[in-house]
Amino acid sequence: MQATLFTPNITDAGHAHDCAGRANPEGNMNRQYELKELIQSGNFVDGKWLEAADHARFSVSNPATGESIAQVADSGPADARAATDAAARALPAWRDRLPKERSVILHKWAALIMANQDSLGALISLEQGKPLAEGKGEVAYGASYVSWFADEATRIYGDIIPQQQRGKRMTAIREPIGVVAAITPWNFPLAMIARKIAPALAAGCTVVAKPAEDTPLTASALVLLAHGAGVPAGALNLITASREHAIAAVADWLEDPRVRKITFTGSTPVGKYLARESAGTLKKLSLELGGNAPFIVFDDADLEAAVDGMLVSKFRNGGQTCVCPNRVYVQAGVYERFGEMLSRRVAALKVAPATDAAAQIGPMINARALDKIARHVDDAVEHGARVLAGGRQLAELGPNYYAPTVLADANHDMLLCREETFGPVVAMFKFETEEEAILAANDTPFGLASYFYSESPKRIDRVSRALETGIVGVNEGALASEAAPFGGVKESGYGREGSKYGLDDYLSIKYICQGNLA
Ligand code: NAP
């Protein structure tokens, strides 16, 4: 029997209430919410929390226990359309606000997020499963994008083009692209959506958003705080949906000519589907897709640093990040030693629910994810891999736990070499020469992140240029920063999030040619 831990805070469509005052009645940017108060179960459309049009709901579960946390709106095309209507109506006024005004609101939102770091972090852990310290870290990471784009809102420059003809002035200005649809995954339920909504609002766009089925609660909480910080009704709209309903709801956005841009983070097959299906209205797309990151350890590496980098890059979020190393290439001279050092540290990682303060790895997001990990490890062992650590489910802890795993003697016939495992599994391949490592690293349709460890300056220069990925970590495992351009090449997608380039995806360039001047 599943228990509902929190009372849904939902209104009937016919009796929707405007939450502008309720979200933050005192206008206090430091208002702290209890975790329970952050949980919303409706769609947020035009400043109101609403039931789905057909009153459908679905259940959100705690991956550590399988218990239901809340029932939330299960939206369809009518809800998606209502969100677009609201965003289209709100666009002219939001676009016409002074950049400084948009900036002030976004800074207030960032402050409110940080004032609620503890309860938001706990909510992330509750619905996504990551350890509490990581949940709180994600809150700070998401807020850093909101602050960054709050500043960037005031730096949207154009150009005066050097004069080509007398009596003519040519200028290029950058304008908000229009209504933006944001679709996000479950692995970073706060950061992934924050780093789409913040640049869109900063640029003067309005937003319709749909978070993943597994983690809608954090996204709703974020929207609650945005509204409390002064984002006006209609500028930011959010609908939640089960996987079954999401396809039809999102299809409405794909076909609607008022939606001018899709920003998506998720798997490559879904990214390709969105690109195909939105072609009818030629929308601009940003696609942050899957990875299959190589991690190369050369003979001349600082092995302690390489092991530290591997732990940070591979085991954060239980290995469920798009930039996690998926294939680890270790040069023959240090292969066995690196394997020993790494497996000792990995075997010591504490696997536990987020409620355990010592937890370093939580449950995987759901049974499908766990099955994929088990399938990849079993397939690798059948193809000759040696298990140096882990290699099994931890059913004694709960339904979705897998032991952090190190496999040696991996080869290219194994499934985990071709597909993203998305779990706490390191597969070590042996190589002899630099050329061999680079060829193997690039032998994938994906190109998001890559890592390598070497102490040789010439090799560092050569290898950083040779790797076909959008992001390269050199002697470093933690790459993400709001100040850096995050994104991939090849089938890992296009567009960049964060940095001074991050606003470009939400702007279009208008060329103005004025003639008949004296
Ligand atoms: P996913 O299955 O592609 O889902 C991502 C989002 O798309 C979810 O909101 C999902 O809704 C929705 N969706 C799925 N199928 C859809 C369809 N046919 N029409 C409309 N919406 C659809 O990916 P995921 O499993 O949640 O996330 C893991 C993947 O994301 C990995 O491949 C990872 O590498 C990638 N990722 C990439 C980055 C990056 O920055 N490059 C960052 C994080 C994750 P439902 O939840 O209802 O299915």
Side-chain angles (χ1 to χ4, degrees):
M1 180 70 178
Q2 294 195 329
T4 298
L5 300 182
F6 299 100
T7 314
N9 180 3
I10 201 162
T11 59
D12 286 327
H15 301 91
H17 62 269
D18 189 328
C19 81
R22 188 177 57 79
N24 205 353
E26 311 87 22
N28 172 6
M29 287 313 140
N30 296 317
R31 175 173 170 185
Q32 288 176 342
Y33 291 78
E34 299 286 325
L35 187 153
K36 220 167 161 177
E37 294 175 289
L38 285 176
I39 294 188
Q40 301 293 322
S41 37
N43 289 328
F44 190 70
V45 176
D46 211 8
K48 301 177 183 70
W49 293 100
L50 305 174
E51 282 266 19
D54 63 0
H55 294 257
R57 293 183 185 185
F58 70 98
S59 183
V60 183
S61 316
N62 177 346
T65 60
E67 287 176 340
S68 175
I69 304 166
Q71 301 282 325
V72 302
D74 198 356
S75 309
D79 305 294
R81 180 71 56 91
T84 312
D85 291 345
R89 273 195 307 274
L91 180 64
W94 182 247
R95 187 176 52 199
D96 288 348
R97 291 255 186 138
L98 287 176
K100 185 73 188 167
E101 291 169 353
R102 294 199 295 266
S103 173
V104 166
I105 291 172
L106 288 172
H107 271 304
K108 285 181 180 168
W109 185 26
L112 204 45
I113 294 170
M114 286 311 289
N116 287 280
Q117 185 177 18
D118 289 350
S119 43
L120 280 170
L123 181 55
I124 292 173
S125 294
L126 183 67
E127 69 169 346
Q128 200 270 342
K130 66 183 63 170
L132 188 57
E134 286 194 27
K136 286 165 65 173
E138 181 180 342
V139 176
Y141 178 55
S144 74
Y145 280 89
V146 179
S147 300
W148 176 269
F149 285 112
D151 288 339
E152 288 297 296
T154 62
R155 297 178 191 137
I156 303 173
Y157 294 100
D159 289 309
I160 298 169
I161 294 162
Q163 200 172 16
Q164 302 292 312
Q165 288 176 26
R166 295 201 190 288
K168 257 192 189 179
R169 182 187 301 131
M170 300 189 294
T171 50
I173 61 169
R174 298 201 292 162
E175 295 184 324
I177 193 159
V179 175
V180 171
I183 302 161
T184 51
W186 48 264
N187 61 345
F188 289 92
L190 188 143
M192 293 298 110
I193 200 159
R195 71 187 202 185
K196 296 182 182 311
I197 295 173
L201 292 177
C205 300
T206 55
V207 178
V208 294
K210 189 209 79 68
E213 176 191 43
D214 291 307
T215 56
L217 301 177
T218 307
S220 298
L222 202 59
V223 166
L224 174 79
L225 299 185
H227 199 69
V231 173
L236 173 57
N237 308 276
L238 179 108
I239 62 166
T240 56
S242 66
R243 198 154 288 134
E244 205 184 339
H245 285 197
I247 296 174
V250 168
D252 200 85
W253 291 342
L254 299 179
E255 288 161 17
D256 193 322
R258 295 172 299 171
V259 175
R260 292 313 317 147
K261 178 181 171 75
I262 307 280
T263 171
F264 171 75
T265 296
S267 60
T268 294
V270 176
K272 287 180 180 175
Y273 160 83
L274 296 175
R276 267 195 316 274
E277 296 300 313
S278 63
T281 48
L282 277 186
K283 299 184 199 311
K284 188 166 176 172
L285 279 99
S286 306
L287 300 174
E288 297 281 354
L289 307 178
N292 180 5
F295 185 109
I296 308 171
V297 183
F298 288 103
D299 278 346
D300 60 6
D302 174 337
L303 289 193
E304 292 284 354
V307 170
D308 286 344
M310 174 58 72
L311 286 170
V312 169
S313 58
K314 180 71 210 183
F315 292 98
R316 193 165 55 108
N317 204 14
Q320 302 170 110
T321 86
C322 53
V323 290
C324 271
N326 205 46
R327 300 165 293 145
V328 181
Y329 297 101
V330 186
Q331 204 157 8
V334 294
Y335 189 82
E336 292 302 332
R337 185 158 150 59
F338 180 77
E340 278 161 28
M341 290 167 70
L342 180 66
S343 48
R344 211 175 314 123
R345 296 273 299 275
V346 169
L349 289 171
K350 167 90 173 164
V351 185
T355 43
D356 184 331
Q360 291 172 295
I361 308 251
M364 300 296 103
I365 188 68
N366 55 34
R368 270 186 304 138
L370 191 80
D371 288 349
K372 185 177 188 190
I373 295 163
R375 192 157 38 84
H376 277 196
V377 172
D378 293 348
D379 169 80
V381 171
E382 271 169 36
H383 283 85
R386 267 186 297 143
V387 179
L388 300 187
R392 65 180 189 94
Q393 293 186 31
L394 299 173
E396 61 276 23
L397 292 179
N400 296 322
Y401 290 90
Y402 200 91
T405 297
V406 180
L407 302 173
D409 302 341
N411 64 55
H412 287 83
D413 295 330
M414 296 174 181
L415 270 179
L416 49 67
C417 180
R418 299 190 296 275
E419 296 175 10
E420 215 182 2
T421 304
F422 233 56
V425 179
V426 172
M428 287 171 41
F429 300 73
K430 195 186 283 183
F431 72 91
E432 301 287 343
T433 66
E434 184 181 305
E435 294 69 29
E436 188 193 336
I438 289 169
L439 270 179
N442 288 339
D443 185 18
T444 168
F446 300 99
L448 185 57
S450 55
Y451 306 79
F452 69 94
Y453 279 73
S454 165
E455 294 291 298
S456 149
K458 284 190 177 171
R459 171 172 276 159
I460 287 174
D461 176 56
R462 269 195 314 273
V463 177
S464 337
R465 285 185 290 107
L467 288 169
E468 295 169 355
T469 56
I471 305 167
V472 181
V474 185
N475 298 329
E476 178 59 62
L479 311 179
S481 159
E482 74 280 11
F486 191 100
V489 297
K490 295 160 73 178
E491 293 193 16
S492 291
Y494 40 75
R496 291 294 178 268
E497 291 190 330
S499 83
K500 67 171 185 171
Y501 309 105
L503 273 188
D504 293 348
D505 281 337
Y506 298 89
L507 296 165
S508 54
I509 294 174
K510 180 181 274 176
Y511 157 50
I512 301 172
C513 179
Q514 188 178 357
N516 200 21
L517 297 171

